[in-house]
């Protein structure tokens, strides 16, 4: 549904997106995750035909965004980051207008407006001027607009930013629901958000894709860098030497705490059973043994921090 | 075509929702009303005439028309709604022409309100309906050119005030400079000024003479400015 190859975009001499490639299959729901200024909006604007790219190819719904821009626009529903609307219009007037420029006839339009107002819980504000609506309702109007022509592809730029927790939850469940019959790509700078809604995550930073995969795959990668933690009662040197002997262990560090040794074992694989057996053999007691929970959050923060460090160098 | 109409309708809705629309219409009627009164168009014992009204109106329009068009495209830039338009299946030309048509409809309504003056005149004496009719055709043609120019100015910037100035100042120069320069220059320059003499062309129409060349001049000017506006909107994507 979405194919991007070596896409680059410069603002003046400043590179906002640097030769990125990725693809989104039909029916997928993909999260585009990155810190502020990563290039999410820029990429999305290229995909929605708002900005032309400087280099590379992109196609959406089987049409090239540069050559067949009108075809792409027909098949994409887009919620821009700032949710721009006309404050002087009423919600119904706005949706009528958007339906018209989407090429819907009168009857189709009325049906579509009925459908999206129901889906986006807009019935109670349908005849109010948009300028008087709260941020949450404006967001819903934007979403309703993106859905009005029942597009194959939905592209949502930070769909829950600025919403209260209740509305965030509602919007996420709506997006998950929509993913059943649309291909969805959404951007966010909040990891739990994409974890909660998306099957697959693409992490972008400083214009480059730094990681991508399903949440499970990413977690697997993250787990590789993590530790097994144990609390053992035994002689410090003996315990360290004994644990180092276990295959797969790359490093062991320990500190004494209220009579127990708190040991952190750096390994790539699961060594919990081997640790237990070593303890049995040497007569140490164990009161805790666990693999440190693989946190995507840590991973994401690490990526962002290392990028920030690079930037200041 | 459907898109153009949809854009036009939406723009008209916004024009009539905004205070600017009403300020512009009442400002225009106030100024022209003052002109009609001050120039003693209805003095008793003298033949009633709208000559002064038609002489000064183009001057007023160079300032009023850019005020109608100033928000047309610049407000889409400012509010960011340009993004929702340019990512929907709407071409740049449809956007520009839709905005132009909306401003033209608004302008026609505004000009129609001044029909009260010839009607008043006809009550005071014998109005020259032929000249009035050709004057109004002239107002329409000249207005179309001015509006297209204003829409073009509006496509340049996200700031409405800048759009207004960028529309009004060149129009003022265009309309008046040539008119006043013609007697003072000669040769090729004079020919050029005679060609672009907006005021002179309009003046001829107030006397009942609608020439093909003037019609082509005004309509062609409008088309040219709209074409340039389309190119400007297109180029804005490349930032
Ligand atoms: N119109 C513009 N002109 C110049 N530079 C821009 C423009 N828009 C974005 N940039 C720059 O391009 C880079 C990427 O911006 P982009 O808006 O794509 O980031 P983002 O990932 O959407 O961030 P956020 O989470 O803050 O929305 C940033 O460094 C930004 O400063
Ligand atoms: Mg963004």
């Amino acid at each position: 549904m979405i194919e991007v190859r070596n896409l680059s975009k410069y603002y003046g001499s400043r590179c906002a997106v640097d030769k990125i490639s990725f693809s989104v299959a039909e029916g997928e729901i993909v999260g585009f995750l990155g810190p502020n200024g990563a290039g999410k909006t820029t990429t999305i604007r290229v995909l929605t035909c708002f900005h032309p790219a400087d280099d590379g190819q992109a196609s959406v719904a089987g049409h090239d965004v540069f050559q067949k821009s009108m075809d792409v626009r027909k098949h994409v529903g887009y919620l821009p980051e700032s949710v721009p609307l006309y404050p002087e219009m009423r919600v119904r007037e706005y949706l009528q207008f958007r339906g018209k420029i989407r090429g819907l006839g009168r009857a189709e339009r009325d049906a579509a407006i009925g459908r999206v107002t129901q889906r986006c819980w807009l019935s109670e504000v349908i005849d109010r001027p948009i300028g008087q609506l709260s941020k949450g309702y404006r967001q819903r109007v934007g979403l309703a607009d993106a859905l009005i022509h029942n597009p194959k592809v939905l592209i949502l730029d930070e769909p829950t930013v600025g919403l209260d927790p209740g509305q965030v939850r509602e919007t996420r469940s709506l997006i998950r629901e929509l993913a059943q019959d649309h291909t969805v790509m959404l951007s966010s700078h909040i990891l739990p958000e994409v974890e909660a809604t998306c099957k697959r995550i693409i992490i972008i930073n400083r214009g480059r894709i730094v990681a991508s995969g399903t949440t499970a795959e990413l977690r697997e990668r993250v787990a590789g860098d993590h530790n097994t933690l144990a609390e053992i009662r035994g002689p410090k040197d003996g315990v360290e030497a004994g644990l180092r002997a276990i295959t797969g262990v790359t490093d062991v560090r320990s500190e004494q705490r209220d009579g127990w040794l708190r040991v952190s074992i750096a390994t790539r694989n699961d060594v919990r059973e081997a640790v237990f057996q070593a303890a049995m053999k040497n007569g140490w007691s164990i009161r805790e043994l666990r693999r440190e929970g693989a946190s995507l959050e840590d991973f994401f923060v690490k990526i962002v921090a290392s990028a920030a460090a690079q930037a200041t160098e | 075509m459907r898109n153009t109409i949809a854009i036009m309708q939406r723009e008209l809705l916004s024009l009539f929702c905004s205070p600017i629309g009403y300020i512009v219409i009442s400002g225009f009627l106030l100024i022209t009303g003052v002109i009609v009164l001050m120039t003693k168009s209805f003095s008793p014992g003298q033949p009633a005439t709208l000559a002064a009204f038609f002489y000064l109106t183009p001057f007023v329009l160079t300032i009023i028309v850019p005020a109608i068009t100033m928000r047309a495209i610049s407000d889409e830039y400012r509010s960011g709604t340009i993004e929702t338009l340019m990512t929907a299946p709407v071409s740049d030309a449809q956007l520009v022409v839709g905005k132009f048509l909306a401003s033209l409809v608004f302008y026609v309504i505004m000009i129609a309100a001044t029909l009260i003056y010839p009607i008043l005149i006809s009550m005071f004496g014998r109005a020259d309906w032929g000249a009035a009719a050709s004057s109004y055709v002239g107002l329409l043609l000249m207005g179309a050119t001015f509006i297209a120019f204003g829409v073009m100015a509006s496509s340049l910037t996200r700031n409405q005030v800048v759009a207004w100035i960028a529309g009004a100042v060149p129009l003022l120069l265009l309309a008046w400079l040539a008119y006043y320069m013609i007697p003072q220059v000669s040769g090729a320059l004079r020919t050029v000024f005679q060609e672009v003499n907006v005021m002179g062309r309009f003046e001829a129409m107030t006397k009942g003479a609608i020439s093909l060349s003037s019609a082509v001049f005004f309509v062609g000017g409008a088309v040219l400015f709209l074409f340039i506006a389309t190119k400007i909107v297109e180029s804005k994507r490349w930032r």
Side-chain angles (χ1 to χ4, degrees):
Chain A
M1 268 295 135
I2 302 178
E3 290 286 338
V4 176
R5 290 280 158 270
N6 295 323
L7 191 81
S8 299
K9 169 80 190 168
Y10 292 81
Y11 290 111
S13 63
R14 184 198 181 99
C15 186
V17 170
D18 188 9
K19 294 203 189 69
I20 64 168
S21 302
F22 64 90
S23 64
V24 177
E26 179 153 14
E28 244 189 325
I29 170 161
V30 168
F32 204 44
L33 180 69
N36 292 127
K40 303 182 294 292
T41 301
T42 306
T43 309
I44 283 175
R45 282 179 165 170
V46 171
L47 292 178
T48 53
C49 312
F50 185 55
H51 279 332
D54 293 302
D55 197 18
Q57 284 110 46
S59 72
V60 177
H63 304 285
D64 189 281
V65 294
F66 312 114
Q67 261 115 49
K68 291 269 186 276
S69 153
M70 284 298 165
D71 291 316
V72 171
R73 297 191 213 175
K74 278 184 195 133
H75 295 298
V76 173
Y78 173 39
L79 174 71
E81 186 170 16
S82 56
V83 197
L85 299 166
Y86 301 98
E88 67 274 16
M89 294 183 98
R90 290 169 199 283
V91 176
R92 190 192 300 280
E93 288 165 348
Y94 179 66
L95 293 176
Q96 286 281 1
F97 165 65
R98 296 295 299 179
K100 266 185 229 166
I101 62 174
R102 288 291 182 180
L104 304 179
R106 184 180 295 270
E108 265 179 297
R109 210 155 63 217
D110 288 340
I113 290 174
R115 176 172 54 82
V116 296
T117 43
Q118 197 213 349
R119 262 226 139 136
C120 304
W121 313 285
L122 282 169
S123 324
E124 47 189 290
V125 298
I126 187 82
D127 286 313
R128 288 190 36 201
I130 292 172
Q132 293 176 7
L133 299 185
S134 69
K135 165 85 183 151
Y137 273 106
R138 280 209 293 272
Q139 200 89 9
R140 292 181 195 179
V141 174
L143 206 53
D145 162 34
L147 289 171
I148 197 153
H149 54 302
N150 206 6
K152 283 189 192 157
V153 182
L154 265 181
I155 298 184
L156 313 172
D157 198 352
E158 310 220 4
T160 61
V161 77
L163 301 185
D164 68 43
Q167 291 186 333
V168 167
R169 189 174 295 180
E170 279 174 14
T171 309
R172 282 180 191 168
S173 74
L174 172 63
I175 291 170
R176 273 195 300 267
E177 226 173 87
L178 291 171
Q180 288 163 8
D181 30 41
H182 305 269
T183 303
V184 183
M185 173 167 172
L186 65 86
S187 85
S188 173
H189 56 264
I190 308 161
L191 179 81
E193 162 119 356
V194 284
E195 263 191 298
T197 42
C198 302
K199 297 260 162 53
R200 199 154 66 82
I201 303 180
I202 297 170
I203 302 181
I204 178 172
N205 191 24
R206 294 165 58 76
R208 293 185 185 193
I209 290 176
V210 288
S212 89
T214 61
T215 37
E217 280 166 9
L218 285 180
R219 223 181 243 118
E220 195 62 27
R221 274 187 57 181
V222 176
D225 300 334
H226 275 73
N227 296 335
T228 301
L229 278 182
E231 285 199 20
I232 297 174
R233 200 198 292 279
K236 186 174 160 73
D237 294 342
V239 169
E240 284 195 3
L243 294 180
R244 275 216 179 82
I246 296 170
T247 46
V249 172
T250 51
D251 192 21
V252 176
R253 253 178 263 165
S254 67
E255 63 185 78
Q256 201 80 38
R257 213 185 273 176
D258 53 357
W260 289 81
L261 266 183
R262 203 174 163 74
V263 197
S264 148
I265 308 160
T267 105
R268 293 239 145 226
N269 45 353
D270 190 350
V271 294
R272 283 174 298 184
E273 195 182 354
V275 171
F276 174 74
Q277 253 137 29
M280 288 278 284
K281 205 173 74 195
N282 296 301
W284 311 325
S285 349
I286 292 188
R287 76 168 181 190
E288 185 177 0
L289 182 58
R290 67 182 161 91
R291 252 184 131 188
E292 203 164 55
S295 152
L296 281 182
E297 190 77 51
D298 288 345
F299 179 59
F300 181 52
V301 168
K302 212 160 70 186
I303 287 173
V304 176
S306 72
Q310 272 171 21
T312 50
E313 261 166 27
Chain B
M1 194 60 203
R2 187 192 352 216
N3 286 350
T4 311
I5 303 282
I7 302 246
M8 178 189 90
Q9 287 170 336
R10 203 216 64 73
E11 180 68 14
L12 277 173
L13 187 146
S14 285
L15 265 173
F16 282 108
C17 277
S18 77
I20 294 287
Y22 296 101
I23 292 172
V24 166
I25 286 198
S26 42
F28 178 71
L29 292 180
L30 192 72
I31 296 171
T32 53
V34 167
I35 290 172
V36 169
L37 282 181
M38 299 292 282
T39 54
K40 305 208 168 58
S41 299
F42 304 117
S43 309
Q46 279 176 14
T49 165
L50 280 179
F53 167 70
F54 283 122
Y55 179 72
L56 288 170
T57 298
F59 173 72
V60 179
L61 288 178
T62 57
I63 294 168
I64 290 287
V65 167
I68 299 174
T69 56
M70 64 184 181
R71 57 178 302 290
I73 298 180
S74 68
D75 207 46
E76 304 274 358
Y77 294 147
R78 186 196 53 77
S79 69
T81 43
I82 189 80
E83 191 168 353
T84 56
L85 283 177
M86 302 278 85
T87 54
V90 176
S91 71
D92 300 350
Q94 286 169 341
L95 170 68
V96 168
V97 174
K99 296 286 181 178
F100 167 78
L101 290 178
S103 304
L104 190 65
V105 169
F106 187 90
Y107 173 82
V108 167
I109 292 170
M110 185 178 86
I111 291 297
T114 67
L115 281 171
I116 188 79
Y117 305 133
I119 290 168
L120 279 177
I121 294 239
S122 70
M123 282 159 34
F124 275 72
R126 204 174 55 80
D128 185 348
W129 283 107
S134 77
S135 302
Y136 274 95
V137 171
L139 278 182
L140 197 64
L141 285 170
M142 186 176 63
T145 314
F146 283 12
I147 289 167
F149 191 85
V151 168
M152 183 182 79
S154 172
S155 73
L156 283 168
T157 167
R158 55 188 294 147
N159 184 320
Q160 289 188 28
V161 178
V162 173
W164 179 61
I165 294 169
V169 172
L171 276 183
L172 262 174
L173 290 178
L174 182 77
W176 291 83
L177 194 67
Y179 186 69
Y180 287 117
M181 288 303 281
I182 288 171
Q184 316 196 6
V185 294
S186 58
L189 200 56
R190 188 183 174 116
T191 321
V192 170
F193 277 135
Q194 264 165 347
E195 279 307 312
V196 300
N197 184 3
V198 172
M199 266 299 295
R201 287 177 185 275
F202 177 69
E203 204 176 47
M205 286 194 233
T206 62
K207 292 179 181 138
I210 302 175
S211 69
L212 184 65
S213 95
S214 288
V216 169
F217 173 80
F218 285 125
V219 173
V223 171
L224 174 71
F225 294 140
L226 292 181
F227 177 77
I228 297 173
T230 307
K231 291 293 153 196
I232 293 171
V233 170
E234 206 176 293
S235 75
K236 287 275 177 184
R237 289 162 180 250
W238 289 96
R239 268 187 338 100

